[in-house]
Amino acid sequence: MTTSASVPTGPEGAIATAETVIDRLVEANGQYAAAFTDPGMDARPVLKVAVVACMDARLDLHAALGLELGDCHTIRNAGGAVTDDVIRSLTISQRALGTRSVILIHHTGCGLESLTEDFRQELEAEVGQRPAWAVEAFRDVDQDVRQSMQRVRTNPFLLHTDDVRGFVFDVKSGLLREIDPA
């Protein structure tokens, strides 16, 4: 399977080294910017919603949720984990930029399901320093969504915790399945 960002190959499938993937992305940006017109938006999302989701490349959140540019704030990380930095982003999103709703989206087949916190110890053994962050690995995606909802709903920095909902995105069907917070 190839994607639009596939690495170009030369004769006999060897990776061409003249252009890197980043070079290709910067070139694509030049083409984008040539046709770009300022949409006249400000940083406040039109729908007043923040989406917290996994960074998985299979999740096209705007397409899956019917969103347009300017509709939402999108916060992504490995697993869609509600970490201190996600709380930081949500706090700014709500208090400074007017969002009132939070949708949490985890997904089937997440890479964090195959990791453990031992990953941190392996990194420490390799580089001589343990990361300050937790891996946030999990075995049960539904329970992880519940934990994420709880972290958002009970955080004292967030003003709007009454409209927080969590979902699992099925990477095979594209459907969201809502998770009961109980």
Side-chain angles (χ1 to χ4, degrees):
M1 179 176 145
T2 60
T3 66
S4 62
S6 294
V7 177
T9 58
E12 300 175 15
I15 295 177
T17 57
E19 182 179 288
T20 68
V21 172
I22 295 173
D23 290 334
R24 186 189 164 286
L25 298 175
V26 171
E27 181 182 321
N29 174 257
Q31 294 168 5
Y32 170 80
F36 184 79
T37 55
D38 180 359
M41 300 176 187
D42 76 11
R44 295 175 178 272
V46 173
L47 298 179
K48 298 183 179 187
V49 64
V51 180
V52 178
C54 185
M55 66 185 189
D56 192 293
R58 297 171 291 181
L59 278 65
D60 183 349
L61 296 172
H62 276 73
L65 300 173
L67 295 168
E68 298 292 331
L69 183 66
D71 282 348
C72 71
H73 282 157
T74 306
I75 304 161
R76 295 180 79 155
N77 67 18
V82 177
T83 61
D84 286 346
D85 197 55
V86 168
I87 294 295
R88 172 187 159 271
S89 294
L90 287 172
T91 301
I92 292 166
S93 178
Q94 287 189 356
R95 289 179 175 262
L97 298 167
T99 60
R100 302 184 72 75
S101 300
V102 178
I103 180 172
L104 304 165
I105 301 177
H106 296 206
H107 65 92
T108 58
C110 185
L112 286 185
E113 291 175 293
S114 62
L115 290 177
T116 66
E117 291 299 320
D118 291 342
F119 183 73
R120 293 175 68 229
Q121 294 168 336
E122 293 164 7
L123 285 172
E124 180 180 21
E126 180 182 329
V127 302
Q129 180 179 341
R130 181 178 285 190
W133 39 263
V135 175
E136 298 283 345
F138 60 88
R139 295 285 176 256
D140 180 341
V141 68
D142 290 16
Q143 184 55 36
D144 200 55
V145 172
R146 283 186 198 95
Q147 175 179 289
S148 294
M149 285 189 283
Q150 184 66 14
R151 286 179 178 174
V152 171
R153 287 182 172 145
T154 60
N155 192 281
F157 300 114
L158 299 175
L159 296 172
H160 307 288
T161 58
D162 54 324
D163 191 15
V164 177
R165 293 170 62 187
F167 297 83
V168 174
F169 177 85
D170 186 311
V171 298
K172 301 286 187 202
S173 71
L175 287 173
L176 290 175
R177 177 173 52 83
E178 188 158 10
I179 302 301
D180 184 352

